[in-house]
Amino acid sequence: MTKKICLITGANRGIGLEIAAQIGQRGHRVLLGARDIDAGDDAAKTLRDRGIDARVVPLDVTDPDSVRAAAAAVEAGEGRLDVLVNNAGIFLDSIKRTEEVELDLFRRTIEVNLLGAFTVGTTFLPLLRKSEDGRLINMSSDLGSLAQASDPESRYNAVDGPAYRVSKAALNMLALAWAKELRGTNVAVSVCSPGWCRTGLDPHIDSSAAPNSAADGADTAVWLALDMDRSQHGRFYAKRREIAW
Ligand SMILES: NC(=O)c1ccc[n+]([C@@H]2O[C@H](COP(=O)([O-])OP(=O)(O)OC[C@H]3O[C@@H](n4cnc5c(N)ncnc54)[C@H](OP(=O)(O)O)[C@@H]3O)[C@@H](O)[C@H]2O)c1
């Protein structure tokens, strides 16, 4: 088996750390993107203690210099990238309606969830193109689904978070733009929703009642990274099944 080189952003905790753990347990090298280097180091060490080939890559998705430096380090160390998971994200407006969201909060949300993924994807694409089986995965949310948002009967209808929902809907469209441009190349693009998970994502809502662990939330991204049939390029998944945009 060829060891794949896999970068996950926001991998020092939560779903990102679990994606790294599950990919690493399959024998691949995981590069843990982390804006807090100490937290990233600690996370990488916990994985190495479990026998996983894990390294930290300092990476703040909102800082283009940091992203460029990370890409230069991966190019120097690995020469290519096989899997990129745009996982880093924030959710700060879950208890706010549209009229209550301050412009700055909206901007920060777009900055991390959308422009961060754009910067990382664009900067790492040349390295993904060097892979024999490149995979670019955006970690989105059911809350970014236009199909869900336009259905008054949707179980997500009660959820606010307009900035977050806009950022994830736009992240989905970014994935479709990449998918269109990369169709027929060696880089497959996909999007997933982890479902509601017990992580520290939302500082306002206690997630202990969420139905999924971080490991459950990681599962579909790992499947897309390592197992998905490449012909399924350009689709949106949850629980390893296609869902509506
Ligand atoms: N949990 C859920 O129920 C759920 C549901 C749907 C979608 N998602 C999505 O799943 C992804 C992971 O969420 P999670 O639940 O694992 O949340 P989490 O535990 O809060 O982890 C978020 C990660 O993103 C990182 N991050 C935030 N801003 C960053 C930046 N500017 N640069 C680099 N890293 C940054 C955080 O780093 P720090 O530790 O430094 O803050 C952390 O590692 C997100 O995209 C989220 O929207 C989660």
Side-chain angles (χ1 to χ4, degrees), residues 7 11 14-15 19 38 48-49 119 129 135 141 157 166 215 237:
L7 172 67
I15 297 167
I19 294 170
D38 290 340
R48 284 196 298 273
D49 288 347
T119 307
R129 286 182 187 276
R135 309 267 170 139
S141 167
N157 196 39
V166 167
Y237 293 90

Side-chain angles (χ1 to χ4, degrees), residues 10 12-13 15 35 60-61 87 140 164 168 195 197 199 201:
N12 52 289
R13 62 188 168 97
I15 297 167
R35 62 177 168 173
D60 181 333
V61 301
N87 167 77
S140 183
Y164 181 80
K168 293 296 190 180
C197 301
T199 70
L201 177 68

Side-chain angles (χ1 to χ4, degrees), residues 99-111:
E99 290 161 283
E100 298 163 337
V101 176
E102 305 83 2
L103 177 61
D104 184 53
L105 191 156
F106 211 117
R107 192 176 276 135
R108 275 163 59 209
T109 304
I110 297 288
E111 198 80 50

Side-chain angles (χ1 to χ4, degrees), residues 84-145:
L84 169 62
V85 185
N86 276 318
N87 167 77
I90 56 174
F91 189 6
L92 305 177
D93 65 335
S94 64
I95 54 169
K96 288 179 188 275
R97 298 167 68 84
T98 313
E99 290 161 283
E100 298 163 337
V101 176
E102 305 83 2
L103 177 61
D104 184 53
L105 191 156
F106 211 117
R107 192 176 276 135
R108 275 163 59 209
T109 304
I110 297 288
E111 198 80 50
V112 176
N113 295 358
L114 175 65
L115 302 181
F118 168 75
T119 307
V120 173
T122 303
T123 308
F124 278 90
L125 205 43
L127 287 174
L128 280 172
R129 286 182 187 276
K130 292 185 180 177
S131 169
E132 288 180 0
D133 181 13
R135 309 267 170 139
L136 198 173
I137 297 148
N138 281 358
M139 182 59 80
S140 183
S141 167
D142 285 271
L143 296 176
S145 160

